[in-house]
Amino acid sequence: MTVLVGHDTQTRALLQAARSGRMHHAWILAGTKGIGKAGVARALALRLLAEAAGPAIESDGLAVPESHPIRRLIEATAHPDYAELAPIEKDGVTARNISVDQVRGLQRLLQSAPSLSTRRIVVIDSADDLERGAANALLKTLEEPPTYTVLILISSNPHRLLPTLLSRCQGIQFHRLSSSDIRKIIQSQLQEAGESLTESELDFHAQRSQGSVDRALAENFTEMEVLREELLEVLEKVSFDRMDIVFAFAKTWARQTEQLQSVLNEFLGLIRDLALYRSGCGQSDIQNRNLSAKMILVAQTRSLKAWLDRFTAVRNTQIALSGNANAQLFLENMLIEFCETA
């Protein structure tokens, strides 16, 4: 199991609630996708089930020794008092939602008493994926919670959940992980897989993660390096004297609709860093530090207002392209606005 990093305050609050003897029957762990909420939920479930069944664990926190029999049962997916609800995967394809039949199956399980201790735990990853009927079926369980059962719901968008479901759960907010925490998690996962990254690659993933492990691991270092250098060159050279850049860029990326929003996000990140350099901020505030030597020079070629105007132009283009706007036309317009701020 991957070592848990970060979220110490949330972990302590959950453990204190459990050990107080007044553990709420349902919790929502809320926060941005990919920051480790589900990992904390599973680790908490393991720890509480291990404490309830014994033998006793000497260490504090969520850690459970590898030799503990409850850990072995859960890792073998054979623990009778632990269940997870998630979209079902079949033939390599994962369903979009958690179905009402899955929730009804869970309800049948909850009708019986726990087998190995006085505690049963269910993790729902994620509550955002519940079908409407499944959410209503779960609500009935929350209204009449089975004795000794704790339900832990994971949510990246709790505001989209049924208000009546939210009202029956105790919420706890999770925050983005720090770059140093992201780095530790990546190194741990790589070690488990017998793989490695260079220091430059680790820095790249950690700095651009925005506190999310999923985001940190989703990007290809080499591909993103090439893309960022291309975009930085556009930001440096585009002008009314170089309209060839405007038309070539717009024509190329307008055809790649699936990647276009990601490219515009890269533009925003670069312009943000350029604006920070222009305003005199230090390296600690910069996301794209490995490009710092060139970015420091490029930043000085425009005023702070010009960089902020370019940022606004990109953001407005993103909004327009979220609808059915003509991609090439709006990209050309965006780059012409770049020229006007030159």
Side-chain angles (χ1 to χ4, degrees), residues 5 11 69 116 220 284 310 335:
V5 177
T11 297
L116 302 184
N220 180 287
S284 61
R310 288 188 174 193
L335 293 176

Side-chain angles (χ1 to χ4, degrees), residues 200-306:
S200 294
E201 289 171 329
L202 278 171
D203 286 342
F204 168 84
H205 290 296
Q207 290 165 9
R208 292 167 50 81
S209 66
Q210 296 184 15
S212 166
V213 179
D214 287 355
R215 178 180 171 85
L217 296 174
E219 296 181 327
N220 180 287
F221 175 78
T222 303
E223 290 178 359
M224 294 308 300
E225 191 83 349
V226 172
L227 174 61
R228 288 184 301 149
E229 289 178 357
E230 176 188 334
L231 298 182
L232 186 56
E233 186 173 359
V234 170
L235 289 168
E236 177 186 16
K237 296 182 177 180
V238 69
S239 69
F240 286 122
D241 293 330
R242 291 297 310 273
M243 292 300 290
D244 58 304
I245 295 176
V246 172
F247 298 123
F249 181 91
K251 184 176 181 180
T252 298
W253 287 106
R255 297 170 180 169
Q256 303 182 50
T257 54
E258 292 185 1
Q259 296 176 280
L260 189 50
Q261 288 291 352
S262 294
V263 170
L264 294 175
N265 280 333
E266 290 304 317
F267 255 138
L268 290 176
L270 289 169
I271 296 171
R272 168 195 177 276
D273 286 351
L274 290 166
L276 288 172
Y277 275 131
R278 190 67 178 85
S279 62
C281 292
Q283 285 286 85
S284 61
D285 300 308
I286 303 301
Q287 292 180 355
N288 298 284
R289 293 178 200 166
N290 62 319
L291 297 176
S292 60
K294 183 172 183 179
M295 293 185 74
I296 290 172
L297 297 175
V298 174
Q300 301 307 314
T301 64
R302 306 285 185 276
S303 66
L304 177 58
K305 182 180 184 303

